């Protein structure tokens, strides 16, 4: 007989067959071979006081069928609790018992999509008369339509139709714009992108959800409408105006995103139904015809549906079908129906129609617990998890053919193939790893071994799975414990490298959930005794064992961490000695003392000593946070930052515990940080800091002196690295310029863009004053808000070119506030050694501005600041990069913008100057007033002088060649631009009015002239007068007809 | 551009206003115009007659008529001013009054002409009375009577044109031509014929020259002797 070591008793290829992750449906024989009886099916109607077993439920269904009773059973549970499993088991058993009496249809989650579901129905309904065949043809057509590549487009189109056919949004912004929003090509591409809402829904309908995905059908979520600045720009400038309006609003208002997602979800059923060209009524008609057909055949219909969400879009019709009884006058020609459907809790609470709830005859749940803490009732104990695991392990050990034969022979639990029975290692294996009796309670035992797990290992892994992403359900146990471990690490058993280190054992366990030695002091001993296998042994101790290396017993019975020698031997590792006797665990930190007394002279070191030593020799630092805090505090206080020209704000920003990492910790370090490598020197530094922080001045002078030397030497060796890190945006990125310079330039440009500068602000001091004034607002009691920034952008839209407003929008208010706040922090310097008195380092800022002026505000381009840098660098760099990239174009655009304004004013004025124009305007208004012609024009926005001044300002700005001067003039010229807009708007309205009045007068004149020759009559009369006077020899006439020359 | 537009629009506003005003006063203008037409007629007659008659009647004779004409013109001028300025569009009454004055002036002128014309016609009528029974006159009695009637008609109304005046003068000349044969009668014959016409002729009046003239040209048939 071979030794029980590195033995693989399961068949690797059977792992994927028995726990089939790709296709949810597994072979029925395997399914029955792995079935664990469910004993905790809670009857919700019974007030939680009644639990059914699966056998009870099966009995209920059968009795109902025999008594010709309608049954509509709902099995509720969080995803993965075993609803499908139970329904499949019911199907197998029910069909065996009642197959002759009922047509039994199981709608599997197989492909878990509407397409797959419809195809199942088509395949299974291949009976019946013409009417039924027609209905089936319709289903087939629906299934085919779902295969069409135009699914996404069709979904969007039907959603758009639903916005006016089905329900209009109560939100005006959505109601007015949604149709063109859904029609906009850019928006459509965005919504249809891979992983986007339309893609998710279309994939769900055609291919089904991912096997592991939890929850119900995919829906819109608010984040689906988080639109990038680039996309928003494209929609606004290239798309429908309505689409731009809604996209802009979505960009600014998270609530609106929520509202839109909810609204579109309400329309989803309608859109899906139209897309598949199959309505709930069609489905209802199909089943009604089927029931008539079966009634004629004298049969009942039993429908077992694993997951109702597969019917998304027509699910409401299905529920109606299932609730329809065969009694009553109208339904007399229907056959009896027994139905069991699996639904998730979320579906039941949000989508199951209220009026149908009372028509459920059996409302059952597989959950235990409540609210967010719900978990599968099936796995409430270590033993239950072991029981379920054992069945799957047994199936993986058996040949498929044997299982099939067993199934075909009646699938009796007591005859289940069990390879343990013939295994030569059965005795030591079951003794070391444990075994579970999976036989029927009233039959002979069927002992199945848990190897290569034991009960504790299964439970330890299962309970440590990441609860934020994985619910504790049978599915999680199978996928993330049994399947994952055996597929990933199973081959390592033969290779002699099983189990892997604890961190690698199970992908589903987050680092924070990894177990630790129950007695950390044993770490050093474990490492030392385990040698090269220390990590594997530690994994074994932590998961299979009790988390200690406590040794008990002697010889072959000697257990370490409760693990027998056979456990170690089975995996090809030597059992370590472990530790005997009482191990003194470190005491927890003492409660803070209200009246601390001087500590006695240390004699036994500190609580950090063992930890530091363990780390020095390759282990983890368990007191990591405290030790790191000591170290960072030391760095911050020991370096003379002023000497190195580092602003106080930069030190605050960069010298934080989170930015320093001590090598060798279990967590994965992310972001921008300095890694201090494991070394003896650093270990000594940590030790010194631990001593100093624990005992302070109580240390003996010689110890204190030694520590000072240690710390000093280490600081000298590492100071330059730390200072470089502080001054750089990130560890990897050299500083493109000093942070203060970047922030000063950013803030100056922000003031330009915010129209904060005055035209006469020509000196560096003037500019700095403006910068500081704006920045001071951000550190005042009333800092600017996002709304203020939005107003600024709106104002910019009114008085500047589009590029100007776009740049402001790209910069974003938060970054502007950050730059301004940080600039003051950076410039804020302590006065001497004082920590209270501070002054503003104007000299540095003035120097920056002077240098900028010296190069006529030319901004040199810098490499992009990396994403993982500090927020200050990221904000400053982000703003600077935008400014550097766009400033020249912006000034050109702005000049073009103002030229356009001037051109427009010139076009309106023609050859006439401001005086002539405004005189004509006044005269016109007087004429209107004198003749009582109504109009809604106010007074002109200003007099001729104002018009003349603004024309002069804008003209000068346009013609200004210098970048700096032009920028200041543009910033200061907002009011002139506004006036120009006002004049243009006013004069344009006046032109419109004059044209309109002129046209009216033309019509009036034509009409009067057509209706009467009064004027000619008057002229004739006057002519007569003149003729008479001429005849009579009177002098020539001076008086003319009544008229006033304009 | 805008100034031209505004100016143009203002002009349209004013014109439309004028049209509207004119339309609302069209009735007033119509009656004014009707009255003016009458006055024009009178003025034309007056002006023409005054012009034509000015030289025949002489400055002294025509001066009062011209004075009246000036007064009429002044009234018409005042009326025009009111009308043109829009202060009064209904001038019919004023113009009617002015028209009467024009008619009066015209009548005055007619009377003055009549005096003049009758003075021109009178010698011919006197001569015609003497010779109307003579055979050479009796032969064209109808034409002469018609001519006289025409001249009388022109006497009653002053000529309106130089042509009418020339016609008047021509008719007088024609009448004279037709009476020319008797116009050169010796005085004894003229005296004899006067007595005959007045029924006072005696045999004593038959002097030899008279007898000789009577016997010439078969004139004796025109005379008879009867008892008183």
């Amino acid at each position: 007989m071979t030794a029980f070591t590195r033995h693989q008793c399961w068949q690797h290829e059977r792992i994927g067959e028995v726990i089939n992750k790709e296709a949810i449906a597994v072979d029925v024989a395997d399914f029955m071979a792995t079935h664990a009886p469910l004993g905790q099916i809670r009857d919700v109607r019974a007030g939680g006081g009644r639990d059914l077993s699966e056998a009870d439920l099966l009995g209920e269904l059968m009795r109902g069928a025999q008594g010709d009773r309608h049954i509509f059973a709902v099995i509720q549970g969080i995803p993965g609790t075993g609803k499908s499993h139970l329904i499949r088991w019911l199907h197998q058993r029910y069909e065996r018992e009642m197959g002759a009496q009922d047509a039994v249809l199981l709608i599997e989650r197989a492909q878990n999509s509407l397409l797959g579901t419809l195809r199942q129905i088509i395949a299974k309904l291949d009976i019946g008369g013409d009417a039924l065949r027609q209905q089936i043809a319709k289903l087939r057509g629906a299934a085919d339509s779902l295969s069409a590549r135009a699914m996404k487009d069709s979904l969007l189109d039907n959603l758009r139709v639903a916005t006016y056919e089905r329900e209009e949004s109560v939100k005006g912004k959505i109601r007015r714009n949604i149709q063109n929003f859904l029609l906009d090509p850019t928006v459509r591409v965005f919504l249809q992108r891979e992983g986007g809402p339309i893609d998710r829904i279309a994939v769900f309908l055609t291919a089904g959800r991912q096997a592991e995905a939890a929850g119900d059908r995919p829906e819109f979520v608010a984040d689906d409408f988080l639109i990038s600045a680039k996309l928003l720009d494209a929609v606004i400038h290239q798309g429908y105006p309505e689409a731009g309006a809604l996209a802009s609003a979505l960009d600014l208002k998270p609530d609106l995103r929520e509202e839109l997602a909810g609204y579109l979800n309400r329309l989803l059923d309608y859109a899906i139904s139209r897309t598949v060209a199959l309505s709930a009524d069609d489905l209802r008609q199909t089943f009604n015809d089927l029931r008539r057909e079966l009634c004629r055949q004298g049969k009942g219909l039993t429908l077992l549906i694993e997951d109702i969400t597969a019917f998304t879009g027509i699910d409401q019709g299905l529920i109606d079908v299932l609730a329809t009884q065969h009694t009553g006058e109208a339904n007399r020609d229907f056959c009896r129906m027994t139905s069991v459907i699996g639904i998730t809790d979320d579906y039941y609470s949000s989508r199951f129609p209220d009026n149908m709830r009372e028509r459920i005859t059996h409302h059952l749940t597989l959950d235990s617990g409540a609210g967010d803490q719900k978990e599968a009732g099936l796995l409430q104990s270590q033993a239950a998890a072991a029981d379920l695991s054992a069945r799957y392990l047994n199936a993986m050990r058996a040949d498929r053919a044997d299982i099939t034969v067993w199934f075909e022979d009646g699938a009796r639990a007591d005859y289940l193939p069990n390879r343990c029975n013939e295994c030569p290692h059965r005795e030591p294996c079951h003794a070391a790893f444990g075994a579970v009796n999976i036989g029927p309670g009233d039959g002979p035992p069927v002992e199945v071994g848990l190897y290569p797990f034991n009960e504790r290992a299964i439970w330890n892994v299962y309970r440590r799975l990441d609860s934020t992403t994985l619910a504790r359900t049978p599915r999680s146990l199978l996928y993330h414990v049994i399947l994952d471990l055996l597929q990933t690490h199973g081959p390592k058993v033969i290779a002699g490298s099983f189990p892997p280190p604890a961190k690698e054992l199970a992908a589903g366990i987050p680092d924070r959930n990894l177990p630790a030695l129950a007695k950390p002091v044993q770490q050093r001993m474990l490492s030392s005794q385990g040698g090269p296998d220390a990590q594997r042994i530690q994994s074994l101790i932590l998961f299979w064992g009790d988390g200690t290396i406590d040794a008990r017993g002697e010889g072959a019975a000697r257990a370490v961490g409760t693990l027998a020698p056979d456990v170690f031997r089975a995996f090809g590792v030597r059992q370590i000695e472990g530790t005997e006797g009482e191990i003194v665990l470190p005491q927890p930190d003492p409660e803070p003392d209200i009246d601390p007394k001087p500590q006695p002279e240390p004699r036994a070191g500190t609580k950090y000593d063992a930890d530091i030593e363990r780390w020095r020799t390759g282990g983890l630092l368990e007191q990591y946070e405290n030790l790191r805090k000591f170290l960072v505090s030391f760095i911050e206080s020991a370096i003379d930052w002023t000497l190195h020209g580092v602003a106080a704000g930069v030190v605050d920003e960069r010298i934080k515990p989170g930015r320093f990492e001590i090598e060798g910790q279990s967590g994965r370090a992310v972001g921008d940080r300095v890694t201090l490598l494991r070394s003896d020197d650093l270990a000594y530094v940590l030790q010194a800091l631990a001593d100093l922080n624990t005992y302070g001045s109580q240390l003996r002078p010689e110890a204190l002196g030694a520590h000072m030397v240690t710390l000093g030497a280490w600081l000298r060796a590492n100071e330059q690295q730390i200072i470089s890190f502080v001054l750089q945006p990130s560890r990897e990125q050299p500083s493109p310029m000093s942070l203060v310079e970047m922030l000063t330039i950013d803030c100056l440009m922000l003031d330009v863009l915010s129209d904060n500068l005055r035209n006469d602000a020509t000196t560096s001091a003037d500019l700095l004053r403006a910068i500081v004034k704006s920045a001071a607002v951000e550190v005042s009691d009333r800092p600017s808000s996002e709304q203020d920034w939005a107003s600024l952008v709106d104002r910019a839209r009114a008085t500047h070119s589009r590029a100007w407003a776009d740049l402001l929008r790209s910069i974003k208010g938060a970054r502007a506030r950050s730059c301004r706040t940080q600039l003051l922090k950076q410039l804020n310097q302590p006065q001497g050694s004082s920590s209270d008195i501070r002054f503003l380092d104007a000299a540095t800022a003035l120097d920056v501005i002077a240098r900028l002026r010296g190069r006529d505000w030319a901004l040199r381009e810098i490499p992009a600041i990396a994403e993982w840098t500090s927020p200050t660098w990221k904000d400053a760099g982000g703003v600077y990069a935008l400014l550097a990239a766009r400033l020249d174009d912006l000034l050109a655009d702005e000049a073009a913008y103002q030229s356009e304004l001037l051109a427009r004013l010139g076009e309106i004025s023609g050859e006439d100057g401001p005086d002539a124009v405004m005189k004509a305007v006044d005269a016109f208004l007087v004429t209107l007033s004198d003749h009582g012609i109504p109009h809604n024009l106010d007074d002109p926005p200003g007099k001729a002088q104002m018009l003349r001044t603004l024309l002069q300002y804008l003209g000068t700005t346009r013609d200004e060649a210098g970048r700096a001067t032009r920028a200041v003039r543009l910033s200061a010229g907002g009011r002139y631009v506004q006036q120009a807009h006002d004049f243009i708007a006013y004069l344009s309205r006046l032109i419109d009015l004059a044209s309109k009045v002129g046209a009216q007068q033309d019509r009036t004149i034509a009409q009067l002239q057509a209706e009467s020759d009064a004027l000619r009559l008057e002229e004739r009369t006057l002519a007569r007068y003149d003729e008479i006077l001429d005849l009579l020899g009177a002098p020539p006439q001076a008086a003319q007809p009544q008229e006033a020359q304009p | 551009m805008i100034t031209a537009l505004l100016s143009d629009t203002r002009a349209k506003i004013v014109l439309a206003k004028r049209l509207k005003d004119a339309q609302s006063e069209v009735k007033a203008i119509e009656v004014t115009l009707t009255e003016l037409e009458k006055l024009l007629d009178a003025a034309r007659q007056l002006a023409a007659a005054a012009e034509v008659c000015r030289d025949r009647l002489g400055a002294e004779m025509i001066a009062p008529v011209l004075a009246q004409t000036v007064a009429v013109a002044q009234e018409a001028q005042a009326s025009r001013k009111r009308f043109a300025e829009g202060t009064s569009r209904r001038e019919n009454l004023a113009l009617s009054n002015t028209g009467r004055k024009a008619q009066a002036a015209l009548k005055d002128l007619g009377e003055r002409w009549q005096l003049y014309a009758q003075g021109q016609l009178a010698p011919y009528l006197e001569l015609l009375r003497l010779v109307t029974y003579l055979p050479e006159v009796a032969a064209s009695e109808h034409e002469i009577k018609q001519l006289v009637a025409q001249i009388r008609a022109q006497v009653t109304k002053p000529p309106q044109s130089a042509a009418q005046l020339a016609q008047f003068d021509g008719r007088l000349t024609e009448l004279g031509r037709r009476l020319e044969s008797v116009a050169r009668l010796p005085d004894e014959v003229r005296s004899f014929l006067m007595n005959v016409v007045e029924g006072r002729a005696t045999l004593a009046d038959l002097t030899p020259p008279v007898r000789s003239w009577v016997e010439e040209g078969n004139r004796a048939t025109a005379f008879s002797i009867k008892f008183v």
Side-chain angles (χ1 to χ4, degrees), chain A residues 112-240:
Chain A
N112 198 27
S113 68
L114 187 53
L115 175 63
T117 303
L118 291 175
R119 285 184 174 146
Q120 283 186 64
I121 294 173
I122 293 162
K124 292 174 180 174
L125 294 191
D126 196 14
I127 53 173
D130 289 344
L132 187 53
R133 270 197 289 276
Q134 282 173 11
Q135 288 300 326
I136 290 171
K138 190 152 194 177
L139 288 184
R140 199 183 303 276
D144 291 345
S145 83
L146 280 172
S147 307
R149 292 178 64 187
M151 159 73 79
K152 292 181 187 175
D153 264 337
S154 183
L155 261 175
L156 271 176
D157 290 341
N158 286 316
L159 270 174
R160 193 173 62 81
V161 171
T163 60
Y164 56 84
E165 283 291 324
R166 192 71 174 178
E167 175 190 333
E168 286 198 326
S169 172
V170 293
K171 289 275 182 191
K173 193 63 142 183
I174 296 175
R175 189 173 59 249
R176 286 191 298 276
N177 302 307
I178 187 65
Q179 286 186 42
N180 280 356
F181 182 76
L182 293 176
L183 207 55
D184 188 276
T186 311
V187 172
R188 289 174 78 93
V189 170
F190 172 65
L191 294 176
Q192 293 178 22
R193 71 192 185 278
E194 191 176 342
I198 295 298
D199 180 64
R200 291 199 306 271
I201 295 163
V203 167
F204 175 70
L205 291 174
T206 54
R209 78 161 78 87
Q210 298 299 307
E212 288 184 80
D216 294 320
R217 67 171 190 186
E219 293 189 328
F220 288 90
V221 295
D223 283 355
D224 287 334
F225 302 105
L226 266 176
I227 298 172
S228 69
K230 189 178 171 189
L231 182 76
L232 183 63
D233 188 66
V235 176
I236 289 172
H237 295 127
Q238 296 163 22
Y240 294 110

Side-chain angles (χ1 to χ4, degrees), chain A residues 907-909 912 927 1001-1002 1008 1015 1018 1020-1021 1024-1027 1029 1035 1037 1039-1043, chain B residues 1-3 10 12-13 16 18 23 26 29-30 33 36-37 44 47 73 77 79-80 84 86 89 91:
Chain A
E907 192 183 315
I908 291 171
S909 303
D912 299 310
T927 302
Q1001 298 303 319
D1002 282 341
L1008 288 170
L1015 203 60
E1018 183 192 17
R1020 226 169 77 208
T1021 304
R1024 286 289 179 272
Y1025 269 116
D1026 292 343
E1027 197 178 348
L1029 292 171
Q1037 293 302 301
Q1040 295 301 311
Q1042 57 174 48
E1043 61 186 9
Chain B
M1 173 209 163
I2 192 172
T3 52
R10 286 178 58 222
K12 286 175 182 173
I13 293 169
R18 240 183 78 203
Q23 191 179 25
V26 71
I29 298 172
E30 277 174 359
L33 183 60
L36 275 173
E37 297 291 357
R44 273 192 192 126
Q77 200 164 31
S79 170
R80 186 195 188 281
R89 297 293 204 168
E91 284 292 300

Side-chain angles (χ1 to χ4, degrees), chain A residues 506-561:
Chain A
I509 301 179
D511 286 352
R512 65 178 181 281
N513 285 359
L514 284 172
L517 286 175
K519 299 174 180 176
V521 290
Q522 293 180 338
Q523 181 70 56
R524 199 167 174 182
M525 206 175 294
L526 191 156
S527 301
S528 138
Q529 292 179 8
D533 294 328
Q535 287 194 325
R536 291 173 56 208
I537 293 170
Q538 182 158 343
S539 187
L540 204 53
I541 293 292
L542 292 175
F543 286 97
W544 277 255
D546 65 357
T548 73
I549 55 170
D550 294 348
R552 290 186 182 82
E554 290 297 331
R558 182 181 178 82
V560 176

Side-chain angles (χ1 to χ4, degrees), chain B residues 118-174:
Chain B
Q118 280 175 342
Q120 296 295 313
L121 181 60
Y124 294 98
L125 292 178
E126 181 60 24
L127 180 60
L128 181 61
R129 194 166 64 95
L130 294 180
V131 297
T132 189
Y133 301 108
L134 294 179
E136 59 265 42
V137 174
S140 55
E141 181 185 4
H142 176 69
E143 287 81 359
I144 289 171
K145 278 186 177 173
Q146 193 175 16
L147 193 58
V148 169
Q150 287 173 339
I151 292 168
R152 282 185 193 279
Q154 285 190 294
V155 168
T156 59
K157 191 178 174 187
Q160 298 293 311
S161 63
Q164 285 183 8
L165 184 59
Q167 190 183 43
F168 175 76
D169 289 341
R171 283 174 175 161
L172 277 181
T173 304
E174 176 62 16

Side-chain angles (χ1 to χ4, degrees), chain A residues 892-929:
Chain A
D893 283 355
E894 195 68 9
Y897 173 76
Q898 297 201 349
S899 293
E900 203 175 308
L901 285 179
L902 287 169
R904 179 75 186 114
L905 278 168
E907 192 183 315
I908 291 171
S909 303
E911 299 285 315
D912 299 310
D915 290 326
V917 169
M918 295 316 293
K919 192 175 168 189
V921 170
D922 291 341
F924 181 69
L925 292 175
V926 167
T927 302
L928 290 180
S929 170

Side-chain angles (χ1 to χ4, degrees), chain A residues 21 88 128 189 278 323 353 417 491 501 504 529 558 565 568 579 658 716 721 736 738 741 762 793 851 938 997 1035:
Chain A
K21 215 170 168 182
R88 261 180 281 171
V189 170
L278 181 72
E504 299 168 18
Q529 292 179 8
R558 182 181 178 82
F568 292 89
T579 177
R716 275 194 300 282
Q721 179 199 358
S738 80
E741 180 178 3
T762 53
V793 175
R851 278 187 281 124
D938 297 326
V997 169

Side-chain angles (χ1 to χ4, degrees), chain B residues 103-119:
Chain B
Q103 291 294 344
L106 188 60
K107 187 180 171 192
D108 185 29
L109 178 62
E111 287 169 357
R112 289 170 191 274
W113 163 261
Q114 205 168 354
L115 280 177
Y116 162 77
Q118 280 175 342

Side-chain angles (χ1 to χ4, degrees), chain A residues 8-25:
Chain A
Q8 180 176 327
C9 57
W10 63 93
Q11 301 177 49
H12 193 78
E13 64 276 12
R14 289 284 288 150
I15 299 171
E17 288 176 3
V18 175
I19 306 176
N20 190 336
K21 215 170 168 182
E22 299 306 318
I24 292 172

